[in-house]
Amino acid sequence: MRRYSLTYFIGQSFKGLWRNGVMSLASITVLMSCLLVMGSFSLLLANINYNMEEIGLLNEIVVFIDENSTDEQVAAIGTEIKGLDNVSGVRFISREEAHESEMAKLADHPNLLQRMSLDKEIYRHSYVITYSDNSRVSTLQYQLEHLENKGVSKIICRTDLAETIESLKSGITMIFIWFLAILMVVSIFVIINTIKLAVFARRQEISIMRYVGATNWFITLPFVFEGIFIGLLAGGIGYLLQWYLYTYVYNIIITDYNMISVMAYADISHYVIAAFLAIGVVTGIIGSSISLRKYLHA
Amino acid sequence: MIEFKNVKKVYPNGTVALDNVNLRINDGEFVFIVGASGAGKTTLMKLLLREEKLTSGSLTVDEFDLKKLSNFKVPYYRRQLGVVFQDFRLFPNKTVYENVAFAMRVIGEPSKVIRRRVPTILSIVNLQDKYNCFPRELSGGEQQRVALARAMANNPRIIIADEPTGNIDPKMSLEIMNLLVKIQKKGKTVIVVTHEKNLVDYFKQRVVTIGEGGVISDTVGGMYNAEV
C-alpha cells in the first residue's frame, strides 16, 4: 500500500480554497455568523446563570435557639448543623451580637431607640446557615427541623425564593439549550448548502478523479481539509469579533447597570475559542462530507 | 480479455439499452465500436467503465467480474483502464504536466517516479514543449493528446476512447488515431467508439456495430456499416 503525502492533500486544500475564493469566503462568513449568534446566546445564558447564582448566594437559613438552652446545647446544635449535607457555611450570632447589631442599625434614630427600649434579653442565639444547592433546600429545612439535639425554637427559611430562583434558572437554561440546538442544526444546513455549491462547481473535477481511479477518500480528503480550514478561519475570526462585541456590551453594562454582574471575558475566553474552533471544524468536516456524498457513488 | 456474455441492461425507467450482447475482445486488439445514436454504444461504455451495473448476464475484464465488483473495488478496477473522452475532460486549472501527473498521484506513485515518467509520456504524444501550458492555451488536438497521455500515465492494459476525434479537425483526428494504433502495437487493448466513417474505413481494424441494443455485425478489417 503506497502512502499518500499529507502535504499534498493540505496543498490541494489551500489551492481549492484559493481557486474557489468567492465560495470559500461565503462559507467562512456564514459559519462565522452562525458561531457569533450561537456564541452571543451562550454567553447571555452563562451570564444569566451567573447572576442567578449570585442571587442564590443571598439565601440564608436562620435557626433560632431556645432561650433556655445551655451553652453546651447551643454548641452541640452548631456542630450537628455543620455536619449536614448541602451546608456550605454556618455563622453563630449570639444574643449579644444580635442586640448590638440592632442597636447599631437604629443608632441614627435615637427617638425610635428610646421608645423601643431594646433589651438584649428579648434576643436569642442563632445560627445563620448558607447552602450550596438551591434545589435541595427543602431537604435541608426538614433536617434542621428534625435535629437530634433539641433546642431549636424557630427556623426562618425562604424556600419559596430559593425554589423560584431554581425553577427560573432551569426554565431559562432549557429554553436556551433548545434555542442553541435549533440554531446549531440551522447552521449545519446553511454550511452544507454553501459547501454543496462549492462542490457542485467542482463536480467535473470530481468525475475526472473517479475516472482515473481515485478512491473516495482520495477525493474526499482535500475537501475535508478545506472544511477544516474554513472552520478554523471562521472560528478564529468569530472569536475575535465575539471578543469585541462582548467587551463592548460589558463596558456598557458595568457603567450603566452596575447592579448586574457580568463575567469578565478573560475568564471565559478559553471556553469560547475552544468551542468556536471545535464547532467550526466539526461543522466544516460534516458539511464537506455530506456535500460530497452524492458525487462519490461509483 | 474483455468478455460480454448475454449482457442485458435495463434502466430504472424501463428502457432496454442492451439485450443479449455477446462480445469478446482479446488482449492487444484494436476495436472500433460503431452504431447510430441510441444504439447502445454509450451504455456499453458505461458498463465497461462500471458507471452502470448490468441487469443480467456477465461482463469480465481480465480478472474483474464487473457484475460482482463491489463499489469499494471500482477505483482499483478503473486503474486498469485509460479513458479518453470527446470533451477531453482535463483539469482546467492544472497545467499539462499536472494533468498527466494527477493520474499517477491518484494511485500513490512517488513524486520521483512521476517526475521521471511524465516527460516520457508527453514526448510520446509530442507535447514535451507544452508541459507548462494550461488546457485553455492548447488546440483541441493538443488537448486530446494530453488526455491520451493522462490515459497512458499508469500504463493501463486497456485504452477506451469515446469519440476521441469528435471535437477536433480531420488532420488532428488522423494524428490521434495514429497514436492509438501506436499504443495498440505496444500490446495494449484499444477500444474506440466513433461515428467517423472515414477513419474506420482508413484504419481497417475490427469493427463491431451496435444496433437495437445488440451486436449486429462484427468484422475484422471491416468497414463502417453504411446501413447503420
Side-chain angles (χ1 to χ4, degrees), chain A residues 193-227:
Chain A
N193 278 316
T194 315
I195 297 179
K196 258 185 185 170
L197 285 173
V199 172
F200 181 77
R202 292 159 73 180
R203 65 196 182 285
Q204 201 189 354
E205 201 175 309
I206 295 167
S207 89
I208 299 167
M209 287 186 188
R210 285 174 48 216
Y211 283 123
V212 294
T215 53
N216 281 351
W217 73 266
F218 186 93
I219 297 170
T220 311
L221 224 52
F223 286 99
V224 169
F225 274 116
E226 265 188 61

PDB file of all heavy atoms in Angstrom, chain A residues 193-227:
ATOM      1  N   ASN A 193     -25.250  23.579   2.589  1.00  0.00           N
ATOM      2  CA  ASN A 193     -25.675  24.139   1.305  1.00  0.00           C
ATOM      3  C   ASN A 193     -24.599  24.999   0.673  1.00  0.00           C
ATOM      4  O   ASN A 193     -24.404  24.967  -0.539  1.00  0.00           O
ATOM      5  CB  ASN A 193     -26.968  24.942   1.485  1.00  0.00           C
ATOM      6  CG  ASN A 193     -28.165  24.014   1.476  1.00  0.00           C
ATOM      7  OD1 ASN A 193     -28.250  23.114   0.661  1.00  0.00           O
ATOM      8  ND2 ASN A 193     -29.065  24.204   2.416  1.00  0.00           N
ATOM      9  N   THR A 194     -23.880  25.734   1.514  1.00  0.00           N
ATOM     10  CA  THR A 194     -22.809  26.578   0.971  1.00  0.00           C
ATOM     11  C   THR A 194     -21.710  25.699   0.385  1.00  0.00           C
ATOM     12  O   THR A 194     -21.235  25.935  -0.732  1.00  0.00           O
ATOM     13  CB  THR A 194     -22.231  27.476   2.081  1.00  0.00           C
ATOM     14  OG1 THR A 194     -23.300  28.028   2.817  1.00  0.00           O
ATOM     15  CG2 THR A 194     -21.385  28.578   1.508  1.00  0.00           C
ATOM     16  N   ILE A 195     -21.321  24.655   1.142  1.00  0.00           N
ATOM     17  CA  ILE A 195     -20.246  23.780   0.650  1.00  0.00           C
ATOM     18  C   ILE A 195     -20.742  22.990  -0.570  1.00  0.00           C
ATOM     19  O   ILE A 195     -19.995  22.756  -1.510  1.00  0.00           O
ATOM     20  CB  ILE A 195     -19.729  22.850   1.770  1.00  0.00           C
ATOM     21  CG1 ILE A 195     -19.122  23.692   2.899  1.00  0.00           C
ATOM     22  CG2 ILE A 195     -18.676  21.878   1.228  1.00  0.00           C
ATOM     23  CD1 ILE A 195     -18.593  22.909   4.070  1.00  0.00           C
ATOM     24  N   LYS A 196     -22.049  22.646  -0.558  1.00  0.00           N
ATOM     25  CA  LYS A 196     -22.617  21.927  -1.708  1.00  0.00           C
ATOM     26  C   LYS A 196     -22.433  22.737  -2.992  1.00  0.00           C
ATOM     27  O   LYS A 196     -22.125  22.188  -4.045  1.00  0.00           O
ATOM     28  CB  LYS A 196     -24.108  21.676  -1.483  1.00  0.00           C
ATOM     29  CG  LYS A 196     -24.430  20.261  -1.046  1.00  0.00           C
ATOM     30  CD  LYS A 196     -25.921  20.071  -0.972  1.00  0.00           C
ATOM     31  CE  LYS A 196     -26.216  18.691  -0.409  1.00  0.00           C
ATOM     32  NZ  LYS A 196     -27.636  18.542  -0.092  1.00  0.00           N
ATOM     33  N   LEU A 197     -22.633  24.038  -2.867  1.00  0.00           N
ATOM     34  CA  LEU A 197     -22.458  24.903  -4.040  1.00  0.00           C
ATOM     35  C   LEU A 197     -21.005  24.848  -4.519  1.00  0.00           C
ATOM     36  O   LEU A 197     -20.739  24.776  -5.712  1.00  0.00           O
ATOM     37  CB  LEU A 197     -22.836  26.347  -3.696  1.00  0.00           C
ATOM     38  CG  LEU A 197     -24.336  26.636  -3.588  1.00  0.00           C
ATOM     39  CD1 LEU A 197     -24.573  28.051  -3.088  1.00  0.00           C
ATOM     40  CD2 LEU A 197     -25.009  26.462  -4.950  1.00  0.00           C
ATOM     41  N   ALA A 198     -20.080  24.860  -3.536  1.00  0.00           N
ATOM     42  CA  ALA A 198     -18.657  24.802  -3.883  1.00  0.00           C
ATOM     43  C   ALA A 198     -18.338  23.468  -4.552  1.00  0.00           C
ATOM     44  O   ALA A 198     -17.608  23.413  -5.548  1.00  0.00           O
ATOM     45  CB  ALA A 198     -17.811  24.986  -2.634  1.00  0.00           C
ATOM     46  N   VAL A 199     -18.903  22.393  -4.013  1.00  0.00           N
ATOM     47  CA  VAL A 199     -18.641  21.059  -4.577  1.00  0.00           C
ATOM     48  C   VAL A 199     -19.286  20.946  -5.956  1.00  0.00           C
ATOM     49  O   VAL A 199     -18.700  20.386  -6.882  1.00  0.00           O
ATOM     50  CB  VAL A 199     -19.175  19.957  -3.615  1.00  0.00           C
ATOM     51  CG1 VAL A 199     -19.099  18.599  -4.263  1.00  0.00           C
ATOM     52  CG2 VAL A 199     -18.388  19.963  -2.318  1.00  0.00           C
ATOM     53  N   PHE A 200     -20.507  21.519  -6.090  1.00  0.00           N
ATOM     54  CA  PHE A 200     -21.204  21.460  -7.377  1.00  0.00           C
ATOM     55  C   PHE A 200     -20.363  22.127  -8.462  1.00  0.00           C
ATOM     56  O   PHE A 200     -20.262  21.624  -9.579  1.00  0.00           O
ATOM     57  CB  PHE A 200     -22.576  22.139  -7.255  1.00  0.00           C
ATOM     58  CG  PHE A 200     -23.378  22.101  -8.520  1.00  0.00           C
ATOM     59  CD1 PHE A 200     -24.032  20.938  -8.899  1.00  0.00           C
ATOM     60  CD2 PHE A 200     -23.464  23.203  -9.355  1.00  0.00           C
ATOM     61  CE1 PHE A 200     -24.764  20.874 -10.075  1.00  0.00           C
ATOM     62  CE2 PHE A 200     -24.187  23.165 -10.534  1.00  0.00           C
ATOM     63  CZ  PHE A 200     -24.842  21.994 -10.891  1.00  0.00           C
ATOM     64  N   ALA A 201     -19.739  23.245  -8.089  1.00  0.00           N
ATOM     65  CA  ALA A 201     -18.910  23.971  -9.063  1.00  0.00           C
ATOM     66  C   ALA A 201     -17.718  23.111  -9.497  1.00  0.00           C
ATOM     67  O   ALA A 201     -17.130  23.344 -10.546  1.00  0.00           O
ATOM     68  CB  ALA A 201     -18.432  25.274  -8.452  1.00  0.00           C
ATOM     69  N   ARG A 202     -17.388  22.103  -8.674  1.00  0.00           N
ATOM     70  CA  ARG A 202     -16.210  21.286  -8.994  1.00  0.00           C
ATOM     71  C   ARG A 202     -16.594  19.847  -9.307  1.00  0.00           C
ATOM     72  O   ARG A 202     -15.783  18.935  -9.177  1.00  0.00           O
ATOM     73  CB  ARG A 202     -15.231  21.350  -7.818  1.00  0.00           C
ATOM     74  CG  ARG A 202     -14.645  22.737  -7.682  1.00  0.00           C
ATOM     75  CD  ARG A 202     -14.110  22.985  -6.321  1.00  0.00           C
ATOM     76  NE  ARG A 202     -12.871  22.261  -6.111  1.00  0.00           N
ATOM     77  CZ  ARG A 202     -12.183  22.313  -4.986  1.00  0.00           C
ATOM     78  NH1 ARG A 202     -12.623  23.045  -3.987  1.00  0.00           N
ATOM     79  NH2 ARG A 202     -11.068  21.638  -4.857  1.00  0.00           N
ATOM     80  N   ARG A 203     -17.858  19.635  -9.710  1.00  0.00           N
ATOM     81  CA  ARG A 203     -18.323  18.265  -9.940  1.00  0.00           C
ATOM     82  C   ARG A 203     -17.572  17.588 -11.081  1.00  0.00           C
ATOM     83  O   ARG A 203     -17.327  16.384 -11.040  1.00  0.00           O
ATOM     84  CB  ARG A 203     -19.836  18.231 -10.170  1.00  0.00           C
ATOM     85  CG  ARG A 203     -20.313  18.940 -11.425  1.00  0.00           C
ATOM     86  CD  ARG A 203     -21.799  19.187 -11.367  1.00  0.00           C
ATOM     87  NE  ARG A 203     -22.272  19.818 -12.593  1.00  0.00           N
ATOM     88  CZ  ARG A 203     -22.070  21.095 -12.901  1.00  0.00           C
ATOM     89  NH1 ARG A 203     -21.381  21.872 -12.091  1.00  0.00           N
ATOM     90  NH2 ARG A 203     -22.527  21.605 -14.027  1.00  0.00           N
ATOM     91  N   GLN A 204     -17.190  18.403 -12.105  1.00  0.00           N
ATOM     92  CA  GLN A 204     -16.474  17.800 -13.229  1.00  0.00           C
ATOM     93  C   GLN A 204     -15.093  17.307 -12.784  1.00  0.00           C
ATOM     94  O   GLN A 204     -14.649  16.235 -13.178  1.00  0.00           O
ATOM     95  CB  GLN A 204     -16.338  18.810 -14.363  1.00  0.00           C
ATOM     96  CG  GLN A 204     -16.075  18.092 -15.679  1.00  0.00           C
ATOM     97  CD  GLN A 204     -15.711  19.018 -16.815  1.00  0.00           C
ATOM     98  OE1 GLN A 204     -15.751  20.231 -16.682  1.00  0.00           O
ATOM     99  NE2 GLN A 204     -15.346  18.445 -17.943  1.00  0.00           N
ATOM    100  N   GLU A 205     -14.479  18.113 -11.919  1.00  0.00           N
ATOM    101  CA  GLU A 205     -13.175  17.739 -11.367  1.00  0.00           C
ATOM    102  C   GLU A 205     -13.283  16.404 -10.619  1.00  0.00           C
ATOM    103  O   GLU A 205     -12.441  15.524 -10.766  1.00  0.00           O
ATOM    104  CB  GLU A 205     -12.760  18.846 -10.398  1.00  0.00           C
ATOM    105  CG  GLU A 205     -11.288  18.913 -10.113  1.00  0.00           C
ATOM    106  CD  GLU A 205     -10.961  20.123  -9.243  1.00  0.00           C
ATOM    107  OE1 GLU A 205     -11.384  21.234  -9.585  1.00  0.00           O
ATOM    108  OE2 GLU A 205     -10.301  19.917  -8.234  1.00  0.00           O
ATOM    109  N   ILE A 206     -14.376  16.274  -9.865  1.00  0.00           N
ATOM    110  CA  ILE A 206     -14.583  15.038  -9.096  1.00  0.00           C
ATOM    111  C   ILE A 206     -14.815  13.862 -10.037  1.00  0.00           C
ATOM    112  O   ILE A 206     -14.291  12.769  -9.822  1.00  0.00           O
ATOM    113  CB  ILE A 206     -15.770  15.210  -8.114  1.00  0.00           C
ATOM    114  CG1 ILE A 206     -15.423  16.281  -7.074  1.00  0.00           C
ATOM    115  CG2 ILE A 206     -16.117  13.891  -7.419  1.00  0.00           C
ATOM    116  CD1 ILE A 206     -16.593  16.768  -6.255  1.00  0.00           C
ATOM    117  N   SER A 207     -15.580  14.103 -11.119  1.00  0.00           N
ATOM    118  CA  SER A 207     -15.858  12.994 -12.049  1.00  0.00           C
ATOM    119  C   SER A 207     -14.569  12.554 -12.747  1.00  0.00           C
ATOM    120  O   SER A 207     -14.359  11.367 -12.972  1.00  0.00           O
ATOM    121  CB  SER A 207     -16.952  13.384 -13.044  1.00  0.00           C
ATOM    122  OG  SER A 207     -16.403  13.992 -14.175  1.00  0.00           O
ATOM    123  N   ILE A 208     -13.670  13.503 -13.042  1.00  0.00           N
ATOM    124  CA  ILE A 208     -12.378  13.130 -13.654  1.00  0.00           C
ATOM    125  C   ILE A 208     -11.577  12.281 -12.665  1.00  0.00           C
ATOM    126  O   ILE A 208     -10.984  11.263 -13.035  1.00  0.00           O
ATOM    127  CB  ILE A 208     -11.570  14.380 -14.071  1.00  0.00           C
ATOM    128  CG1 ILE A 208     -12.333  15.195 -15.109  1.00  0.00           C
ATOM    129  CG2 ILE A 208     -10.210  13.973 -14.664  1.00  0.00           C
ATOM    130  CD1 ILE A 208     -11.759  16.586 -15.352  1.00  0.00           C
ATOM    131  N   MET A 209     -11.608  12.698 -11.407  1.00  0.00           N
ATOM    132  CA  MET A 209     -10.874  11.940 -10.388  1.00  0.00           C
ATOM    133  C   MET A 209     -11.364  10.496 -10.354  1.00  0.00           C
ATOM    134  O   MET A 209     -10.584   9.558 -10.244  1.00  0.00           O
ATOM    135  CB  MET A 209     -11.093  12.564  -9.006  1.00  0.00           C
ATOM    136  CG  MET A 209     -10.376  13.866  -8.790  1.00  0.00           C
ATOM    137  SD  MET A 209     -10.624  14.349  -7.073  1.00  0.00           S
ATOM    138  CE  MET A 209      -9.931  15.962  -7.074  1.00  0.00           C
ATOM    139  N   ARG A 210     -12.686  10.331 -10.446  1.00  0.00           N
ATOM    140  CA  ARG A 210     -13.248   8.978 -10.401  1.00  0.00           C
ATOM    141  C   ARG A 210     -12.782   8.153 -11.601  1.00  0.00           C
ATOM    142  O   ARG A 210     -12.468   6.985 -11.482  1.00  0.00           O
ATOM    143  CB  ARG A 210     -14.764   9.045 -10.350  1.00  0.00           C
ATOM    144  CG  ARG A 210     -15.281   9.457  -8.977  1.00  0.00           C
ATOM    145  CD  ARG A 210     -16.776   9.650  -8.985  1.00  0.00           C
ATOM    146  NE  ARG A 210     -17.455   8.543  -9.620  1.00  0.00           N
ATOM    147  CZ  ARG A 210     -18.550   8.643 -10.362  1.00  0.00           C
ATOM    148  NH1 ARG A 210     -19.097   9.816 -10.543  1.00  0.00           N
ATOM    149  NH2 ARG A 210     -19.098   7.592 -10.913  1.00  0.00           N
ATOM    150  N   TYR A 211     -12.743   8.793 -12.796  1.00  0.00           N
ATOM    151  CA  TYR A 211     -12.350   8.051 -13.996  1.00  0.00           C
ATOM    152  C   TYR A 211     -10.896   7.597 -13.963  1.00  0.00           C
ATOM    153  O   TYR A 211     -10.545   6.593 -14.572  1.00  0.00           O
ATOM    154  CB  TYR A 211     -12.598   8.886 -15.261  1.00  0.00           C
ATOM    155  CG  TYR A 211     -14.039   8.914 -15.657  1.00  0.00           C
ATOM    156  CD1 TYR A 211     -14.718  10.107 -15.793  1.00  0.00           C
ATOM    157  CD2 TYR A 211     -14.739   7.731 -15.881  1.00  0.00           C
ATOM    158  CE1 TYR A 211     -16.062  10.144 -16.132  1.00  0.00           C
ATOM    159  CE2 TYR A 211     -16.075   7.746 -16.217  1.00  0.00           C
ATOM    160  CZ  TYR A 211     -16.728   8.954 -16.347  1.00  0.00           C
ATOM    161  OH  TYR A 211     -18.054   8.959 -16.678  1.00  0.00           O
ATOM    162  N   VAL A 212     -10.046   8.378 -13.296  1.00  0.00           N
ATOM    163  CA  VAL A 212      -8.638   7.960 -13.267  1.00  0.00           C
ATOM    164  C   VAL A 212      -8.353   7.028 -12.083  1.00  0.00           C
ATOM    165  O   VAL A 212      -7.211   6.684 -11.829  1.00  0.00           O
ATOM    166  CB  VAL A 212      -7.649   9.161 -13.276  1.00  0.00           C
ATOM    167  CG1 VAL A 212      -7.729   9.915 -14.573  1.00  0.00           C
ATOM    168  CG2 VAL A 212      -7.870  10.083 -12.100  1.00  0.00           C
ATOM    169  N   GLY A 213      -9.420   6.620 -11.397  1.00  0.00           N
ATOM    170  CA  GLY A 213      -9.257   5.590 -10.366  1.00  0.00           C
ATOM    171  C   GLY A 213      -8.991   6.108  -8.973  1.00  0.00           C
ATOM    172  O   GLY A 213      -8.427   5.395  -8.138  1.00  0.00           O
ATOM    173  N   ALA A 214      -9.426   7.345  -8.710  1.00  0.00           N
ATOM    174  CA  ALA A 214      -9.229   7.877  -7.355  1.00  0.00           C
ATOM    175  C   ALA A 214     -10.210   7.215  -6.401  1.00  0.00           C
ATOM    176  O   ALA A 214     -11.376   7.032  -6.736  1.00  0.00           O
ATOM    177  CB  ALA A 214      -9.456   9.385  -7.356  1.00  0.00           C
ATOM    178  N   THR A 215      -9.718   6.847  -5.230  1.00  0.00           N
ATOM    179  CA  THR A 215     -10.612   6.261  -4.228  1.00  0.00           C
ATOM    180  C   THR A 215     -11.438   7.394  -3.603  1.00  0.00           C
ATOM    181  O   THR A 215     -11.073   8.567  -3.715  1.00  0.00           O
ATOM    182  CB  THR A 215      -9.809   5.559  -3.116  1.00  0.00           C
ATOM    183  OG1 THR A 215      -8.851   6.495  -2.617  1.00  0.00           O
ATOM    184  CG2 THR A 215      -9.097   4.334  -3.630  1.00  0.00           C
ATOM    185  N   ASN A 216     -12.521   6.987  -2.945  1.00  0.00           N
ATOM    186  CA  ASN A 216     -13.402   8.007  -2.349  1.00  0.00           C
ATOM    187  C   ASN A 216     -12.658   8.885  -1.352  1.00  0.00           C
ATOM    188  O   ASN A 216     -12.871  10.089  -1.288  1.00  0.00           O
ATOM    189  CB  ASN A 216     -14.599   7.334  -1.654  1.00  0.00           C
ATOM    190  CG  ASN A 216     -15.638   6.926  -2.677  1.00  0.00           C
ATOM    191  OD1 ASN A 216     -15.556   7.280  -3.846  1.00  0.00           O
ATOM    192  ND2 ASN A 216     -16.608   6.154  -2.240  1.00  0.00           N
ATOM    193  N   TRP A 217     -11.789   8.267  -0.568  1.00  0.00           N
ATOM    194  CA  TRP A 217     -11.109   9.096   0.438  1.00  0.00           C
ATOM    195  C   TRP A 217     -10.081  10.018  -0.185  1.00  0.00           C
ATOM    196  O   TRP A 217      -9.829  11.110   0.304  1.00  0.00           O
ATOM    197  CB  TRP A 217     -10.553   8.257   1.588  1.00  0.00           C
ATOM    198  CG  TRP A 217      -9.335   7.437   1.284  1.00  0.00           C
ATOM    199  CD1 TRP A 217      -9.320   6.139   0.893  1.00  0.00           C
ATOM    200  CD2 TRP A 217      -7.976   7.857   1.375  1.00  0.00           C
ATOM    201  NE1 TRP A 217      -8.031   5.727   0.711  1.00  0.00           N
ATOM    202  CE2 TRP A 217      -7.184   6.750   1.009  1.00  0.00           C
ATOM    203  CE3 TRP A 217      -7.338   9.044   1.711  1.00  0.00           C
ATOM    204  CZ2 TRP A 217      -5.793   6.811   0.978  1.00  0.00           C
ATOM    205  CZ3 TRP A 217      -5.955   9.098   1.679  1.00  0.00           C
ATOM    206  CH2 TRP A 217      -5.203   7.989   1.314  1.00  0.00           C
ATOM    207  N   PHE A 218      -9.509   9.600  -1.330  1.00  0.00           N
ATOM    208  CA  PHE A 218      -8.572  10.479  -2.037  1.00  0.00           C
ATOM    209  C   PHE A 218      -9.319  11.721  -2.539  1.00  0.00           C
ATOM    210  O   PHE A 218      -8.794  12.839  -2.514  1.00  0.00           O
ATOM    211  CB  PHE A 218      -7.950   9.729  -3.218  1.00  0.00           C
ATOM    212  CG  PHE A 218      -6.872  10.498  -3.928  1.00  0.00           C
ATOM    213  CD1 PHE A 218      -5.541  10.351  -3.570  1.00  0.00           C
ATOM    214  CD2 PHE A 218      -7.183  11.373  -4.952  1.00  0.00           C
ATOM    215  CE1 PHE A 218      -4.541  11.070  -4.219  1.00  0.00           C
ATOM    216  CE2 PHE A 218      -6.197  12.086  -5.608  1.00  0.00           C
ATOM    217  CZ  PHE A 218      -4.872  11.937  -5.238  1.00  0.00           C
ATOM    218  N   ILE A 219     -10.567  11.504  -3.003  1.00  0.00           N
ATOM    219  CA  ILE A 219     -11.379  12.621  -3.489  1.00  0.00           C
ATOM    220  C   ILE A 219     -11.843  13.470  -2.308  1.00  0.00           C
ATOM    221  O   ILE A 219     -11.826  14.707  -2.369  1.00  0.00           O
ATOM    222  CB  ILE A 219     -12.613  12.091  -4.266  1.00  0.00           C
ATOM    223  CG1 ILE A 219     -12.164  11.314  -5.508  1.00  0.00           C
ATOM    224  CG2 ILE A 219     -13.546  13.236  -4.658  1.00  0.00           C
ATOM    225  CD1 ILE A 219     -13.265  10.544  -6.208  1.00  0.00           C
ATOM    226  N   THR A 220     -12.237  12.776  -1.228  1.00  0.00           N
ATOM    227  CA  THR A 220     -12.844  13.477  -0.088  1.00  0.00           C
ATOM    228  C   THR A 220     -11.846  14.309   0.716  1.00  0.00           C
ATOM    229  O   THR A 220     -12.155  15.420   1.137  1.00  0.00           O
ATOM    230  CB  THR A 220     -13.517  12.454   0.860  1.00  0.00           C
ATOM    231  OG1 THR A 220     -14.332  11.589   0.078  1.00  0.00           O
ATOM    232  CG2 THR A 220     -14.378  13.138   1.905  1.00  0.00           C
ATOM    233  N   LEU A 221     -10.663  13.737   0.932  1.00  0.00           N
ATOM    234  CA  LEU A 221      -9.717  14.354   1.871  1.00  0.00           C
ATOM    235  C   LEU A 221      -9.411  15.843   1.607  1.00  0.00           C
ATOM    236  O   LEU A 221      -9.473  16.643   2.549  1.00  0.00           O
ATOM    237  CB  LEU A 221      -8.424  13.528   1.920  1.00  0.00           C
ATOM    238  CG  LEU A 221      -7.870  13.305   3.324  1.00  0.00           C
ATOM    239  CD1 LEU A 221      -8.899  12.739   4.264  1.00  0.00           C
ATOM    240  CD2 LEU A 221      -6.639  12.425   3.280  1.00  0.00           C
ATOM    241  N   PRO A 222      -9.101  16.237   0.363  1.00  0.00           N
ATOM    242  CA  PRO A 222      -8.845  17.679   0.163  1.00  0.00           C
ATOM    243  C   PRO A 222     -10.055  18.539   0.531  1.00  0.00           C
ATOM    244  O   PRO A 222      -9.901  19.626   1.079  1.00  0.00           O
ATOM    245  CB  PRO A 222      -8.551  17.782  -1.344  1.00  0.00           C
ATOM    246  CG  PRO A 222      -8.102  16.426  -1.732  1.00  0.00           C
ATOM    247  CD  PRO A 222      -8.865  15.474  -0.869  1.00  0.00           C
ATOM    248  N   PHE A 223     -11.273  18.033   0.243  1.00  0.00           N
ATOM    249  CA  PHE A 223     -12.477  18.793   0.586  1.00  0.00           C
ATOM    250  C   PHE A 223     -12.649  18.855   2.107  1.00  0.00           C
ATOM    251  O   PHE A 223     -13.074  19.875   2.649  1.00  0.00           O
ATOM    252  CB  PHE A 223     -13.716  18.163  -0.057  1.00  0.00           C
ATOM    253  CG  PHE A 223     -13.806  18.410  -1.534  1.00  0.00           C
ATOM    254  CD1 PHE A 223     -13.405  17.449  -2.439  1.00  0.00           C
ATOM    255  CD2 PHE A 223     -14.281  19.620  -2.017  1.00  0.00           C
ATOM    256  CE1 PHE A 223     -13.470  17.672  -3.800  1.00  0.00           C
ATOM    257  CE2 PHE A 223     -14.352  19.860  -3.375  1.00  0.00           C
ATOM    258  CZ  PHE A 223     -13.942  18.887  -4.274  1.00  0.00           C
ATOM    259  N   VAL A 224     -12.332  17.731   2.778  1.00  0.00           N
ATOM    260  CA  VAL A 224     -12.450  17.709   4.244  1.00  0.00           C
ATOM    261  C   VAL A 224     -11.450  18.705   4.857  1.00  0.00           C
ATOM    262  O   VAL A 224     -11.785  19.469   5.752  1.00  0.00           O
ATOM    263  CB  VAL A 224     -12.229  16.287   4.792  1.00  0.00           C
ATOM    264  CG1 VAL A 224     -12.083  16.302   6.311  1.00  0.00           C
ATOM    265  CG2 VAL A 224     -13.392  15.383   4.408  1.00  0.00           C
ATOM    266  N   PHE A 225     -10.231  18.703   4.320  1.00  0.00           N
ATOM    267  CA  PHE A 225      -9.234  19.669   4.804  1.00  0.00           C
ATOM    268  C   PHE A 225      -9.712  21.099   4.548  1.00  0.00           C
ATOM    269  O   PHE A 225      -9.525  21.983   5.369  1.00  0.00           O
ATOM    270  CB  PHE A 225      -7.874  19.442   4.127  1.00  0.00           C
ATOM    271  CG  PHE A 225      -7.041  18.401   4.826  1.00  0.00           C
ATOM    272  CD1 PHE A 225      -6.702  17.222   4.208  1.00  0.00           C
ATOM    273  CD2 PHE A 225      -6.604  18.606   6.129  1.00  0.00           C
ATOM    274  CE1 PHE A 225      -5.945  16.254   4.854  1.00  0.00           C
ATOM    275  CE2 PHE A 225      -5.844  17.657   6.789  1.00  0.00           C
ATOM    276  CZ  PHE A 225      -5.513  16.475   6.146  1.00  0.00           C
ATOM    277  N   GLU A 226     -10.343  21.284   3.389  1.00  0.00           N
ATOM    278  CA  GLU A 226     -10.901  22.616   3.091  1.00  0.00           C
ATOM    279  C   GLU A 226     -11.923  22.991   4.144  1.00  0.00           C
ATOM    280  O   GLU A 226     -11.937  24.125   4.630  1.00  0.00           O
ATOM    281  CB  GLU A 226     -11.575  22.597   1.716  1.00  0.00           C
ATOM    282  CG  GLU A 226     -10.668  23.081   0.612  1.00  0.00           C
ATOM    283  CD  GLU A 226     -11.411  23.233  -0.691  1.00  0.00           C
ATOM    284  OE1 GLU A 226     -12.364  24.023  -0.761  1.00  0.00           O
ATOM    285  OE2 GLU A 226     -11.030  22.538  -1.632  1.00  0.00           O
ATOM    286  N   GLY A 227     -12.785  22.005   4.470  1.00  0.00           N
ATOM    287  CA  GLY A 227     -13.804  22.228   5.510  1.00  0.00           C
ATOM    288  C   GLY A 227     -13.155  22.598   6.831  1.00  0.00           C
ATOM    289  O   GLY A 227     -13.614  23.498   7.539  1.00  0.00           O
TER     290      GLY A 227
END
